[in-house]
Amino acid sequence: MLTSVRHSLTRLAAAAGLALASLSSAHAQGLIRDTETELAMRQYSDPLLEAAGLDVNAVDFYLVGDMDFNAFVTGGQNIFLNTGTIIRAENPNEIKGVIAHEIGHIEGAHIIRRGEASRAGLATMAASLGVGLIAALAGAPDAGAAIMASAPQFGQLNMLTYTRAQEASADQAAVRFLTETHQSGRGLVATFERLAYQERISFQRRWEYFRSHPLSADRVAALRRNVEASPYADVPDTEAEIAELQRLQAKIIGFMAPPAQTFSRYPETDTSIPARYARAVAYYKQGLTESAETAVNELLEIEPENPFFFELKGQMLYESGFIERSIEPYRRSVELLPDAPLLRIGYASALIATNDEANAREALSQLRVALVSEPQNAYAWFQRSLAHQQLGETAEAELATAERAYAVGDEMQAHIFATRAQEELERGTEAWVRATEILAVTRPDTREMREWNRRERERRPNFQPQSRQMLLQP
């Protein structure tokens, strides 16, 4: 397991996910990945981070697959936002206000006092919304198990216990960041006012946000006064921002709510783009591939250059077994948004699934580019190992497997596969050097070796125990 909470978060967040089932709002369902949503949230957060004087690249932003309202920071500079917060927002400014408040906690270096996160099951699974990876692990249980291996780390997440002074400080900072970026703070006030009743219901039913961010009438009143004093209090969200949020809300509901709820909220009589988007996902979740494809094609007729519609079409076809047909929409999504590594990974997954040598080489090209941006993406390393294996490049496949294991914190497996790769690779090559680096940072001790042998004996009856000396060869 990983020793650093920050590294645990980064590695699991970077990993692709398991199949996304119907998610209940009653339980946290782990971190999710979705390029479209991540880009929008970064567009909200980055200007605020700059206003706070923080390094945008040093602050990690994570989406939590939970339909409750919540947002928090942990590990110093990690921001977590529940999908439920996005769903419940009436406009983008409300989400920006919540994010600005959390950035206020980072800027204020508020001390972490509580030892355990409010949601012990935060990482019971890593899920992917619409990156074309939701079912990509189907048929690859070992990869899924490797990704899931990091889940226990999340039970140890530290959440900030906020004092009233810290809350007031974060509120003031949020208004300052919003003012400096010429945005209104009324969204944060509206959010607090609309949800303040949660303070008055039973503790057991109270959303986690209010357990860690206690509200009071005085606090809301003070926040309102500060917001109204801003010269930008009346600045509205743009029509484009509002339209974008409505699409994100529809997409999240489509993936996370039962299809019946999706169809109830977005009936066939609603011909808006968000409604079509939500229904397309709901059809796909029901296994109605033809209806889902028709719905996405209708969206593409309206917006023929939308990479996320192509991505969704590729995902639907891929997961429905139409591998060859999924390649073109995946490829088109990458053409339209080449800087999105998750789209490249989805495209590569489809190429590899064809079991064609030329496609495997193209997949490797896509994965190499993606891994420059996401070097800790365990799923991308898994796919890379498959591509190398298809091409008969066993040593490179073993090195990719070592990288995948290291990404999820399985240092024992990383060491074992790096050892195998190093023995087969040409000495002095870039791959050989990388295998050597992994070996240098993943040296198991005797206790770890003994525990690994025990697990392997239970899993494989004919397993031959390995000694620590065998693994620690230079």
Side-chain angles (χ1 to χ4, degrees):
M1 291 301 166
L2 304 176
T3 58
S4 164
V5 170
R6 179 178 174 81
H7 289 167
S8 299
L9 298 175
T10 301
R11 292 177 181 178
L12 186 58
L18 300 176
L20 181 64
S22 298
L23 303 184
S24 167
S25 63
H27 298 90
Q29 296 293 331
L31 302 181
I32 62 173
R33 298 300 308 276
D34 178 60
T35 299
E36 186 175 15
T37 308
E38 288 175 1
L39 287 177
M41 294 303 105
R42 271 298 185 179
Q43 288 171 357
Y44 292 176
S45 64
D46 286 0
L48 299 169
L49 289 167
E50 291 175 356
L54 297 171
D55 181 356
V56 170
N57 296 319
V59 179
D60 294 320
F61 196 101
Y62 301 101
L63 294 171
V64 182
D66 191 314
M67 297 297 265
D68 275 355
F69 182 100
N70 199 10
F72 58 94
V73 296
T74 188
Q77 298 193 49
N78 298 296
I79 302 175
F80 293 80
L81 185 73
N82 276 21
T83 50
T85 305
I86 299 174
I87 293 299
R88 287 178 167 77
E90 295 188 353
N91 54 62
N93 189 248
E94 293 188 358
I95 301 175
K96 293 176 184 179
V98 172
I99 293 173
H101 177 88
E102 298 307 321
I103 293 174
H105 283 299
I106 295 176
E107 185 207 40
H110 296 158
I111 300 172
I112 299 176
R113 300 178 186 274
R114 208 172 274 179
E116 183 176 282
S118 58
R119 294 284 182 141
L122 177 62
T124 55
M125 61 181 259
S128 172
L129 267 179
V131 296
L133 302 179
I134 290 179
L137 295 187
D142 290 342
I147 291 170
M148 289 295 289
S150 290
Q153 293 287 332
F154 286 79
Q156 303 301 319
L157 283 174
N158 291 329
M159 280 195 58
L160 293 174
T161 300
Y162 301 103
T163 66
R164 292 182 184 275
Q166 288 173 341
E167 285 303 301
S169 173
D171 288 344
Q172 293 171 9
V175 176
R176 173 161 49 86
F177 305 151
L178 290 163
T179 299
E180 290 183 12
T181 54
H182 298 184
Q183 300 181 92
S184 174
R186 285 180 177 165
L188 183 58
V189 175
T191 297
F192 284 171
E193 289 180 335
R194 188 171 68 251
L195 303 176
Y197 79 94
Q198 284 277 328
E199 283 275 277
R200 299 190 292 271
I201 67 177
S202 69
F203 184 81
Q204 287 74 20
R205 293 176 55 203
R206 191 178 302 168
W207 283 332
E208 298 296 342
Y209 187 83
F210 299 104
R211 298 185 188 183
S212 57
H213 298 67
L215 285 173
S216 69
D218 290 343
R219 178 188 165 196
V220 176
L223 176 61
R224 187 186 306 109
R225 287 193 298 271
N226 288 340
V227 167
E228 294 304 321
S230 167
Y232 304 103
D234 295 323
V235 174
D237 292 306
T238 66
E239 291 184 5
E241 287 178 322
I242 293 171
E244 179 183 54
L245 176 60
Q246 290 172 345
R247 292 189 189 201
L248 295 180
Q249 291 172 329
K251 184 178 189 178
I252 292 170
I253 289 171
F255 273 103
M256 298 190 69
Q261 291 184 16
T262 301
F263 290 124
S264 176
R265 179 159 177 167
Y266 299 100
E268 296 286 348
T269 53
D270 186 346
T271 58
S272 67
I273 290 179
R276 292 172 184 266
Y277 207 178
R279 290 197 299 269
V281 176
Y283 288 136
Y284 143 73
K285 286 182 60 181
Q286 286 186 318
L288 303 175
T289 307
E290 184 176 348
S291 297
E293 187 176 5
T294 298
V296 177
N297 286 339
E298 291 173 353
L299 286 170
L300 285 169
E301 289 178 5
I302 301 171
E303 295 185 6
E305 302 296 303
N306 189 312
F308 306 115
F309 293 163
F310 278 108
E311 176 197 26
L312 180 59
K313 182 176 181 179
Q315 175 186 335
M316 292 173 172
L317 293 172
Y318 176 90
E319 294 170 8
S320 299
F322 301 106
I323 306 300
E324 294 285 350
R325 290 177 56 205
S326 75
I327 290 176
E328 178 55 28
Y330 267 139
R331 183 191 63 78
R332 185 63 180 140
S333 73
V334 172
E335 288 181 347
L336 292 167
L337 198 62
D339 293 335
L342 297 183
L343 300 190
R344 290 183 181 272
I345 296 170
Y347 177 36
S349 300
L351 289 168
I352 292 167
T354 65
N355 201 30
D356 175 85
E357 182 175 332
N359 284 345
R361 295 193 183 282
E362 172 62 16
L364 280 177
S365 176
Q366 296 294 328
L367 291 169
R368 289 189 184 102
V369 175
L371 284 164
V372 171
S373 299
E374 298 213 2
Q376 299 297 336
N377 192 309
Y379 181 73
W381 285 115
F382 168 66
Q383 288 296 320
R384 185 164 172 173
S385 70
L386 293 181
H388 282 301
Q389 197 66 46
Q390 284 185 10
L391 296 171
E393 299 168 351
T394 304
E396 289 80 359
E398 289 172 334
L399 178 58
T401 301
E403 294 276 15
R404 182 192 69 177
Y406 184 69
V408 299
D410 190 343
E411 296 193 2
M412 181 68 69
Q413 289 287 351
H415 196 96
I416 290 170
F417 281 95
T419 299
R420 295 176 184 174
Q422 188 194 50
E423 290 173 351
E424 299 173 24
L425 291 165
E426 182 181 350
R427 188 179 185 87
T429 62
E430 182 180 351
W432 182 89
V433 171
R434 179 54 185 163
T436 303
E437 291 174 344
I438 294 176
L439 290 174
V441 296
T442 58
R443 290 180 174 266
D445 59 28
T446 303
R447 180 190 60 79
E448 291 172 328
M449 191 70 250
R450 186 165 52 249
E451 176 61 21
W452 184 82
N453 282 329
R454 183 190 64 79
R455 292 198 307 266
E456 290 300 300
R457 278 195 299 270
E458 292 176 352
R459 191 169 68 90
R460 294 185 289 163
N462 298 324
F463 170 72
Q464 295 297 319
Q466 300 187 47
S467 68
R468 180 171 181 272
Q469 286 70 31
M470 291 175 62
L471 292 178
L472 300 186
Q473 296 174 0

